[in-house]
Amino acid sequence: MVHPFFHTPLRVMLVSSNFCRKNEPRDAYGASCLVSAFRNSPANAGDTLDVFTSDLNRFQKANGDFDIDWGLAADEIVTRALIGGYNVVAFSVFGWCERMVALAGAELRRRGPDIFIMLGGASIFGSEEVLRRRFPFADMFTLSYGEKIFANLRRYINQGVAHVIDLPRFGELESPYLSGAISLDGGIDTVRAETRRGCLFRCSFCKHRDTHSGKVYRIDNYERHLDELKLFKERGVKKLNVLDPLFNDHEGLGEQYLKLIRKVGFSGKVTLQIRPELLMDHFMEEASQNPNVIFEIGVQSLDPNVLKTIQRGGSKTEAQLRKKLDCCRELGIATMVTLIYGLPLQTYSSFARDIGIVKSYGVGKVGAFPLQVYAGTKLAEDIGQYGLTLKEDAFGIPEVVDNPTHDFEKMQKLAETI
């Protein structure tokens, strides 16, 4: 079908949610990438896009817990869309904001029947039939990374296709910092960046396993990364969190990025998501040249039975981890190791053993977090066979609160003492 917007300038409101922390950009990184693609595309001449960011941090109480008024958050979105006269409202949907999107979308459809509503993000997956049951108010579902779609939005809307997958050319994606979509004014000193998307591993609890068939897409653009790092240095950025689910691989892109950090002379902290079994000697040697690099290593568990159940690693995991962490310690590379408790087949004894082993390696920091079960993951499909008790957290994400041995509470207390 030909949508009536064909002859009408698009006025787009992109809705995202963020935990707007002090000294961090207000606008979410992912949404800002879409803004860059839209505003820098000749195909969108005459069309406009504004961002509305719902700050979820304002619902955090003094003790750190969240008490979110989802109705209020949704009403703010609807009011802004109607008063602003937008004819397209696009939602960036993640697990922590699905309730807000569902409420806002339904009310927006009721009060603005002619508004074109589109949804994308990590929580948008599956067949059109399944998605329509979850979000009956939506006109379009974007199942792929959305830059190409936003760069040609009018064409995709007028095609009348509700279920869209169209990947961009990742090496050509513009930095939201360099395009001005994310401002570093106002005391911003903590930023996020990326060198690739996706993950080649298939851990059953992780959303990345289901993104585009487990492929990894390299944002292989030397000049972009160089100019971003120069900008971060010039603006006095103190911390750079690299978002890549898997920063180190055998292709050398991660090592190249580390060399750029050193070349530019960026001296802020740099956090990297690392798989220890893929750590190569030359990669670690390069990392050691920058004393502010931090390896964040999600071990999750060292129990072979647990690892097999969550499709992660195997019997050699413990030995591999010890070897790589020993090397990191010798080279002076800061490390943080995280574990998950409440995993299938995990017991208090196995969890306590994991903590003891990791601590014995001389890791700089150890953290432990309860298992969250995200819709669309393999674990979510299989969860019924493990006897785990789930309860939605403040954001509506199912979280383990008990296990068959009923020692989950002991695990929780142990985690709080790390």
Side-chain angles (χ1 to χ4, degrees), residues 4-11 46-47 87 154:
F5 292 161
F6 184 83
H7 299 295
T8 306
L10 300 185
R11 286 183 47 78
D47 299 329
N87 51 23
R154 179 183 298 273

Side-chain angles (χ1 to χ4, degrees), residues 89 115 137 155 204 230 233 248 271-272 296 306 309 340 353 376 400 407:
V89 177
I115 295 175
F137 52 82
R155 174 162 63 86
S204 68
K230 286 180 177 178
K233 180 185 177 182
N248 62 310
T271 62
L272 309 171
E296 294 189 349
V306 175
T309 302
I340 294 177
R353 178 179 180 274
V400 174
D407 57 5

Side-chain angles (χ1 to χ4, degrees), residues 304-339:
N305 293 325
V306 175
L307 290 171
K308 183 178 180 180
T309 302
I310 61 175
Q311 300 179 11
R312 182 184 178 95
S315 58
K316 297 181 180 179
T317 298
E318 185 178 328
Q320 289 175 332
L321 180 64
R322 178 183 290 276
K323 179 181 178 182
K324 298 303 182 180
L325 288 177
D326 282 346
C327 188
C328 288
R329 186 174 61 252
E330 291 168 3
L331 291 170
I333 302 172
T335 55
M336 175 182 179
V337 169
T338 57
L339 300 165

Side-chain angles (χ1 to χ4, degrees), residues 151-173:
N152 301 276
L153 188 56
R154 179 183 298 273
R155 174 162 63 86
Y156 288 97
I157 289 175
N158 289 332
Q159 284 176 351
V161 179
H163 202 256
V164 182
I165 300 176
D166 204 351
L167 291 171
R169 296 178 183 271
F170 290 89
E172 298 175 3
L173 295 181

Side-chain angles (χ1 to χ4, degrees), residues 208-348:
H208 289 291
R209 64 167 281 123
D210 293 304
T211 303
H212 316 307
S213 303
K215 293 182 180 179
V216 176
Y217 299 97
R218 295 165 50 119
I219 302 175
D220 198 0
N221 187 325
Y222 179 91
E223 292 300 326
R224 166 183 165 162
H225 298 319
L226 179 65
D227 290 342
E228 268 190 343
L229 288 167
K230 286 180 177 178
L231 177 64
F232 297 157
K233 180 185 177 182
E234 291 168 3
R235 300 303 296 270
V237 169
K238 296 178 181 177
K239 186 175 182 182
L240 166 60
N241 296 315
V242 180
L243 295 172
D244 305 7
L246 174 64
F247 181 80
N248 62 310
D249 57 20
H250 297 303
E251 297 178 321
L253 181 62
E255 186 176 348
Q256 181 189 70
Y257 192 77
L258 290 173
K259 289 179 178 178
L260 276 181
I261 291 173
R262 189 152 57 94
K263 177 179 180 179
V264 169
F266 176 71
S267 58
K269 291 182 179 179
V270 182
T271 62
L272 309 171
Q273 307 299 313
I274 298 295
R275 284 286 295 222
E277 62 268 42
L278 296 182
L279 282 172
M280 307 295 287
D281 290 345
H282 49 84
F283 178 92
M284 289 189 284
E285 289 168 3
E286 180 60 43
S288 71
Q289 300 299 308
N290 186 334
N292 293 318
V293 163
I294 303 170
F295 285 179
E296 294 189 349
I297 303 173
V299 172
Q300 321 315 356
S301 175
L302 292 171
D303 184 319
N305 293 325
V306 175
L307 290 171
K308 183 178 180 180
T309 302
I310 61 175
Q311 300 179 11
R312 182 184 178 95
S315 58
K316 297 181 180 179
T317 298
E318 185 178 328
Q320 289 175 332
L321 180 64
R322 178 183 290 276
K323 179 181 178 182
K324 298 303 182 180
L325 288 177
D326 282 346
C327 188
C328 288
R329 186 174 61 252
E330 291 168 3
L331 291 170
I333 302 172
T335 55
M336 175 182 179
V337 169
T338 57
L339 300 165
I340 294 177
Y341 59 93
L343 291 164
L345 307 187
Q346 189 181 46
T347 65
Y348 173 81

